[in-house]
Amino acid sequence: MPGRERSRRRNAEIEAAHEFDDPFAAAVRSGRIPVTITDPREPDNPLVYVNDAFARVTGYPRDEVIGRNCRFLQGPGTDQATVARIRAAVERGEPIEVELLNYRRDGTPFWNVLFISPVRDAAGDLVFFYGTQVDLTARKALERDLQSANEELAAALARQDLLLREVDHRVKNNLQLVASLLHLQSRSFQDAGLRTLVDGMIERVAAIGTLHTKLYQATDVHHVDVGAYLADLARDTLATSGRGDTVRLDLDIDPVAAARVPARDAASLGLIVNELVTNALKHAFPNGRPGRLTLRLAAIGPSGAPTLEVEDDGIGRDAGQLVSPRPRAASGFGTTLLTMLAKQLRTEVAWEDATPGTRVRLLPRANGSTSLPS
């Protein structure tokens, strides 16, 4: 008897064994989930039963599929590695669950979760494979739309990062140009005080330029390594002063505290470090006096709020100066800038006796309000 004829006869036997008054059989026949039964004892494990839902989902009438292997549902987009997994499970008589792309009778693809379970008789012999399918087409379409949206967002962010890098690069170059013009202009001044004032402005411009260099070189242009930035800035300020041979710079930067500093505050902190390091070099170590300068960024208090310190072991300050919150240079643009920057960060500057030398600390205000995270 030809194979397909035996399968049709087997289908008739299954139908006859489960009359319409059998509630289980009725549920399988009229259920919304496609159900298939194959006979592994026949060559090529053909279909011997499909329910109405299978015919509705695939578009194949029952008489066209009985006696055929289910591979007729496969198409050009069906993953052959998944098909091989199904084949191996069937050969071993084991259950399997896979997601598979199949094709309807009219050629349209549809995704489904395929569950295949072996059915054995009382003697333990394999007699059927019972299969069910759950349509995943809508979910897969949603996944594709989500993936497409994510790819478009990633491309937009990449374009934004590229633009920000270009902006940082151009700002850095423009700041270098401004610094060069100021330097050229200062060479024409006969007044030493005026030259000193312009040189101070050049240092401040360079401090901001260092930040944009860091941003341009950063992997993530939205974040900057504040610790590395402040350390580089302190080194550059010391090198520019010509005091690198006599003044040693010690760095004590807690990476956890540095990570808590928002990138938006980096420029303000950089200018503060520039002012404090420059102030210490000018006033703590006069006449080429050697010494040590310490830049410290640490977490304080139970909240772990970051605090900035610049400490020297220089000549120190007299008792009268320690009462005042103002730096050694008791007036001038540097003091005004330092006060303004601290106010922007909602912090305050504390001048303390380090014995020897002076310690300057940038602390949260007494009311606890600060732009630095706590």
Side-chain angles (χ1 to χ4, degrees), residues 311-312 315-318 322 351-360:
E311 181 179 331
D312 65 69
I315 62 174
R317 298 151 55 91
D318 60 39
L322 288 173
W351 295 78
E352 305 169 352
D353 183 8
T355 312
T358 304
R359 180 186 307 110
V360 188

Side-chain angles (χ1 to χ4, degrees), residues 39-41 90 92-93 117-121 124-129:
D39 188 348
R41 296 169 296 182
V90 169
R92 294 191 298 266
S117 301
V119 178
R120 300 181 184 276
D121 60 15
D125 295 327
L126 182 64
V127 292
F128 295 116
F129 277 105

Side-chain angles (χ1 to χ4, degrees), residues 179-191:
S180 298
L181 291 174
L182 288 172
H183 180 67
L184 288 173
Q185 187 66 48
S186 70
R187 294 174 61 184
S188 66
F189 296 147
Q190 300 300 317
D191 189 316

Side-chain angles (χ1 to χ4, degrees), residues 14 17-31 35 37 49 130:
I14 293 172
H18 298 282
E19 297 296 336
F20 281 89
D21 58 353
D22 182 341
F24 174 77
V28 171
R29 279 192 298 267
S30 61
V35 173
I37 298 176
Y49 175 82
Y130 181 86

